[in-house]
């Protein structure tokens, strides 16, 4: 194999057992016992090696998709392993089993979050409301979609304040603009443009 130049980067292992290779903004797993530790990443064009105190603790093929995760399941603590099986499809299918508008809301959350872990936590929180109040969750998601606000906090606020039961305001787009002397259409003629 041809020799490949290697660069190094230092980073701290975050709570989900991954470390961020800053230049690519991509996350790589390490054994869970290194969570919170500062590690050294040696990377070439094709591989990423992760070291702690001169001991290599992980080896991954290099990926360059920003905010993506490369995970070796052997690195995960048993309590975290089930999380690594979470996928967008799992949440979308769960949401679709409740109602199509809930699925649309979950889709918006998944598309807007940069980190999968953030998105999955929000999805889990939103879908957790279905346990006791399916109908209210559907209405809350419909309200959230109409507001264009996509987060767990939005749905929580709507439900806590019983906003899912509010009637839509009659002022939204049903009242016509009143006639007034100061409001008139402007037409710009070619002559007007030439004068400017």
């Amino acid at each position: 194999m041809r020799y490949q130049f290697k660069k190094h980067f230092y980073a701290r292992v975050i709570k989900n057992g991954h470390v961020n290779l800053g230049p690519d903004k991509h996350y790589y797993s390490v054994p869970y016992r290194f969570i919170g530790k500062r590690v050294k990443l040696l990377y070439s064009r094709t591989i990423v090696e992760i070291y702690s105190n001169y001991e290599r603790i992980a080896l991954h093929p290099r990926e360059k998709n920003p905010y993506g995760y490369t995970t070796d399941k052997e690195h995960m603590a048993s309590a975290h392993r089930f999380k690594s099986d979470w996928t967008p499809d799992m949440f979308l299918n769960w949401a679709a089993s409740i109602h199509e508008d809930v699925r649309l809301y979950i889709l918006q959350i998944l598309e807007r979050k940069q980190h999968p872990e953030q998105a999955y936590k929000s999805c889990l929180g939103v879908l957790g409301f279905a346990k006791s109040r399916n109908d209210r969750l559907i209405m809350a998601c419909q309200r959230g979609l109409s507001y264009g606000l996509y987060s767990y906090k939005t749905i929580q606020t709507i439900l806590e304040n019983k906003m899912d039961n509010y009637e839509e305001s009659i002022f939204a787009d049903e009242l016509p603009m009143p006639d007034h002397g100061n409001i008139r259409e402007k037409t710009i003629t070619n002559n007007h443009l030439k004068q400017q």
Side-chain angles (χ1 to χ4, degrees):
M1 288 179 64
R2 294 184 62 182
Y3 178 78
Q4 293 186 27
F5 287 103
K6 292 183 180 178
K7 296 180 180 178
H8 67 269
F9 185 82
Y10 291 92
R12 195 169 295 281
V13 181
I14 58 177
K15 288 180 182 177
N16 66 4
H18 289 73
V19 63
N20 182 6
L21 178 56
D24 297 339
K25 296 184 174 67
H26 190 88
Y27 292 83
Y28 297 91
S29 68
V30 300
Y32 68 91
R33 67 182 181 277
F34 292 97
I35 289 172
K37 305 273 193 217
R38 188 170 163 80
V39 295
K40 178 179 182 178
L41 292 88
L42 272 182
Y43 62 100
S44 69
R45 191 171 49 80
T46 57
I47 62 165
V48 175
E49 299 173 273
I50 304 169
Y51 288 84
S52 176
N53 291 328
Y54 305 104
E55 173 196 358
R56 188 170 79 182
I57 58 174
L59 173 67
H60 296 282
R62 187 176 177 191
E63 302 287 346
K64 294 188 179 179
N65 53 319
Y67 308 111
Y69 280 74
T70 298
T71 306
D72 180 342
K73 288 189 179 182
E74 293 302 312
H75 291 161
M76 309 301 282
S78 57
H80 289 94
R81 281 187 187 167
F82 78 102
K83 292 184 183 179
S84 68
D85 294 331
W86 290 354
T87 65
D89 284 342
M90 185 197 88
F91 288 105
L92 290 169
N93 291 336
W94 181 1
S97 72
I98 300 167
H99 192 272
E100 176 60 15
D101 288 333
V102 179
R103 190 192 73 81
L104 289 172
Y105 196 84
I106 292 297
L107 180 62
Q108 293 296 332
I109 291 176
L110 289 167
E111 287 181 347
R112 280 168 167 72
K113 295 283 188 189
Q114 289 184 327
H115 300 284
E117 190 180 57
Q118 281 182 321
Y120 295 165
K121 283 181 179 175
S122 290
C123 292
L124 199 61
V126 169
L127 294 169
F129 288 123
K131 290 175 186 172
S132 56
R133 40 194 170 181
N134 255 12
D135 292 343
R136 291 195 63 201
L137 176 60
I138 293 165
M139 294 292 289
C141 286
Q142 290 168 346
R143 186 57 51 96
L145 287 164
S146 72
Y147 293 157
L149 298 171
Y150 310 108
S151 69
Y152 164 76
K153 193 72 181 166
T154 299
I155 298 300
Q156 183 185 37
T157 302
I158 290 171
L159 291 171
E160 283 179 355
N161 295 302
K162 298 184 171 50
M163 294 164 66
D164 52 304
N165 293 324
Y166 288 174
E167 290 293 323
E168 285 291 345
S169 169
I170 60 166
F171 301 108
D173 46 25
E174 294 180 14
L175 296 179
M177 178 72 85
D179 289 329
H180 192 278
N182 291 333
I183 302 173
R184 57 193 168 89
E185 252 183 61
K186 284 189 176 179
T187 53
I188 300 176
T189 63
N190 286 337
N191 288 338
H192 181 70
L193 287 171
K194 286 176 187 171
Q195 288 169 5
Q196 288 188 340

